[in-house]
Amino acid sequence: MDLVYQLLIVLHLIGWAIVLGGTLVNLRTPKIATGVLHGILTALVTGIALAGIASAGLAGHEPNTTKIAVKLVIALVVTALVILGVRKPARVTTGYLGAIAGLTVANIAIAVLWH
């Protein structure tokens, strides 16, 4: 189960990298790239799976539930912003993409810095 857990971590990080990269690349001409939607859905699903596996004691260590809750809320907000941006492209501005990028960086920082 440890191998599955580690592979999920890799997929989770790749998902967030796609969100951040796809958002930053489109700052000049504000739009949500299709890959960003796929990236956030990958990050969200793998994050939930990682929390479930760790909480069940199957792999990893006992998770900090407060940290997981904060990260989940941020991920859900980013997901909502991306979905709304895909459905209504006229809403997408540089500030809109900045919010997505900023929340993504915040989620990554929480994962790394909160012990």
Side-chain angles (χ1 to χ4, degrees):
M1 189 53 91
D2 284 332
L3 178 62
V4 172
Y5 188 78
Q6 298 299 324
L7 289 174
L8 284 173
I9 290 174
V10 170
L11 287 174
H12 186 67
L13 294 174
I14 289 171
W16 282 114
I18 291 169
V19 173
L20 185 59
T23 302
L24 293 178
V25 125
N26 287 313
L27 278 175
R28 270 194 196 188
T29 56
K31 66 177 183 173
I32 304 276
T34 307
V36 174
L37 177 61
H38 296 146
I40 191 57
L41 293 176
T42 298
L44 184 63
V45 169
T46 56
I48 291 168
L50 286 166
I53 290 171
S55 293
L58 299 174
H61 59 288
E62 186 65 30
N64 179 339
T65 53
T66 306
K67 175 182 171 180
I68 298 300
V70 170
K71 287 180 54 58
L72 178 61
V73 168
I74 292 172
L76 289 173
V77 170
V78 172
T79 303
L81 288 172
V82 170
I83 290 172
L84 287 173
V86 168
R87 289 188 179 171
K88 297 186 179 184
R91 285 187 176 185
V92 179
T93 62
T94 303
Y96 194 91
L97 291 177
I100 293 171
L103 288 169
T104 299
V105 170
N107 211 356
I108 294 166
I110 289 169
V112 173
L113 301 175
W114 188 341
H115 295 283

